[in-house]
């Protein structure tokens, strides 16, 4: 069912840098998560890793929420909170952790990066956001780059059918979670929405409690610290900055922004893991970034005859919003 898109908040000119900065923070932290998952995933099974990450994220977010005294979000936010909590915080993390154990990293990257495409399609169908040509073109370029990066990352190991299904399930859960969260942000702050979404995801993963306790007793300290890092930074902080930016643009455009993640992963693996990227990986990373630049660019509009353009407060933001919905 298509819903009328809510008007996006108009930021004062001095504050327009905040949403892009929040989106960049999210992308960088989500890219760093792939490095941490490699360490934590050697000691923790998929469900236990997801639960431990979500518990750490819930504690961090809950503490900040209490300090800020924001309280509960509005009643209209809860359908989106529950849906995104179960699908995105819960199912997505378990399916992705499990899928990456069944397929090589390149295959997982290619399959999961179907998610932003699904976000744009679901956003157009369910949120009435539209599919601007620049968004479609940019996503096409970025997806091609993600495929190239995936091919460059592919190892010699095989990919099981179960792993492919799990990665596709992760992509669908991710897309559905994002589109569900977007309307909820009209009834509460990003901190409120993500605190309770993370809590619901943790509750959904409680069946893995016994496994988490058992594996934590034998896990090396580095793996446990990486799990805590995943909860505090790529979950608590990154999901909050994501929600802040998502409330100020369309779901499709935010989804396209995450195509910068594969490019950053290539660079981080080079710096932190001493994994020198192949020429094919560099080309793919450049394509990902180029596609993001295209999808985030603004359609240029010139003055109409007899109606010269005049600067009006908030007009640039309004033009961007209108272009995204047409």
């Amino acid at each position: 069912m298509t819903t009328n898109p809510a008007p996006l908040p108009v930021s004062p000119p001095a504050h327009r840098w905040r949403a892009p900065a929040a989106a960049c923070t999210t992308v960088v932290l989500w890219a760093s998560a792939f490095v941490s998952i490699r360490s934590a995933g050697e000691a923790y099974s998929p469900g236990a890793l997801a639960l431990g990450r979500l518990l750490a994220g819930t504690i961090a977010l809950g503490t900040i929420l209490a300090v800020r005294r924001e309280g509960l979000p509005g009643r209209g936010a809860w359908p989106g909170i529950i849906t995104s909590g179960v699908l995105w915080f819960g199912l997505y993390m378990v399916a992705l952790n499990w899928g990456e154990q069944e397929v090589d990293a390149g295959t997982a990257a290619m399959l999961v990066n179907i998610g932003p495409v699904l976000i744009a399609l679901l956003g157009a169908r369910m949120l009435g956001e539209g599919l601007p040509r620049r968004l479609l073109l940019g996503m096409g370029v970025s997806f091609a780059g993600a495929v190239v990066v995936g091919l460059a990352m592919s190892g010699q190991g095989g990919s099981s059918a179960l792993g492919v299904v799990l990665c596709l399930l992760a992509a669908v859960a991710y897309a559905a979670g994002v589109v569900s969260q977007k309307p909820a942000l009209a009834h509460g702050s990003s901190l409120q929405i993500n605190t309770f979404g993370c809590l619901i995801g943790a509750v959904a993963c409680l069946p893995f409690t016994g496994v988490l306790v058992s594996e934590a007793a034998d896990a090396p300290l580095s793996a446990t610290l990486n799990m805590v890092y995943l909860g505090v930074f790529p979950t608590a902080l990154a999901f909050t900055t994501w929600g802040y930016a998502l409330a100020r643009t369309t779901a499709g455009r935010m989804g396209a922004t995450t195509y910068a993640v594969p490019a950053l992963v290539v660079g981080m693996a080079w710096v932190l893991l001493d994994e020198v990227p192949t020429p094919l990986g560099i080309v793919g990373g450049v394509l990902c970034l180029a596609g993001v630049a295209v999808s985030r660019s603004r359609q240029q509009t010139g003055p109409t005859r007899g109606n010269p353009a005049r600067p009006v407060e908030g007009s640039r933001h309004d033009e961007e919003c209108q272009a995204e919905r047409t």
Side-chain angles (χ1 to χ4, degrees), residues 132-177:
R133 284 176 293 179
R134 283 177 181 264
L135 175 62
L136 293 175
L137 176 61
M139 294 187 74
V141 173
S142 289
F143 183 71
V147 171
V148 173
V149 170
L151 293 174
M153 293 169 59
S154 295
Q156 299 299 321
S159 297
S160 70
L162 175 62
V164 171
V165 171
L166 287 169
C167 289
L168 289 174
L169 178 61
V172 173
Y174 162 46

Side-chain angles (χ1 to χ4, degrees), residues 103-283:
V103 301
D104 61 71
T107 301
M110 287 186 286
L111 293 172
V112 173
N113 273 295
I114 295 174
V117 177
L118 297 177
I119 290 173
L121 295 176
L122 288 174
R125 179 68 181 86
M126 301 181 68
L127 304 179
E129 291 183 345
L131 293 170
R133 284 176 293 179
R134 283 177 181 264
L135 175 62
L136 293 175
L137 176 61
M139 294 187 74
V141 173
S142 289
F143 183 71
V147 171
V148 173
V149 170
L151 293 174
M153 293 169 59
S154 295
Q156 299 299 321
S159 297
S160 70
L162 175 62
V164 171
V165 171
L166 287 169
C167 289
L168 289 174
L169 178 61
V172 173
Y174 162 46
V178 170
V179 174
S180 298
Q181 189 186 74
K182 172 68 174 175
L185 289 165
H187 303 278
S189 69
S190 176
L191 178 60
Q192 291 173 319
I193 302 304
N194 284 292
T195 297
F196 292 101
C198 191
L199 174 61
I200 289 171
V203 171
C205 291
L206 283 179
F208 301 107
T209 301
V211 180
L212 174 61
V213 172
S214 174
E215 293 177 349
D218 300 324
L221 179 61
S222 60
T224 301
L225 290 177
N226 272 289
M227 180 174 65
V228 173
Y229 170 83
L230 287 168
V232 174
F233 292 97
T235 303
L237 177 56
F239 274 74
T240 301
T241 52
W242 164 276
Y244 179 87
L246 179 61
R248 288 156 178 79
T249 187
T250 64
R253 203 172 182 193
M254 276 301 293
T257 304
T258 63
Y259 273 123
V261 170
L264 293 177
V265 170
V266 170
M268 288 181 177
W270 188 3
V271 174
L272 300 177
L273 303 177
D274 199 26
E275 297 179 356
V276 179
T278 65
L280 190 62
I282 294 175
V283 171

Side-chain angles (χ1 to χ4, degrees), residues 61-140:
L61 288 167
T63 301
I64 298 172
L65 188 74
V67 170
R68 291 178 59 89
R69 298 181 180 179
E70 291 196 16
L72 297 174
R75 182 181 300 177
W78 286 100
I81 291 175
I82 295 172
T83 304
S84 63
V86 173
L87 294 180
W88 193 8
F89 286 91
L91 179 59
Y92 166 78
M93 291 189 183
V94 175
L96 181 61
N97 292 342
W98 190 1
E100 287 190 353
Q101 293 183 358
E102 298 291 328
V103 301
D104 61 71
T107 301
M110 287 186 286
L111 293 172
V112 173
N113 273 295
I114 295 174
V117 177
L118 297 177
I119 290 173
L121 295 176
L122 288 174
R125 179 68 181 86
M126 301 181 68
L127 304 179
E129 291 183 345
L131 293 170
R133 284 176 293 179
R134 283 177 181 264
L135 175 62
L136 293 175
L137 176 61
M139 294 187 74

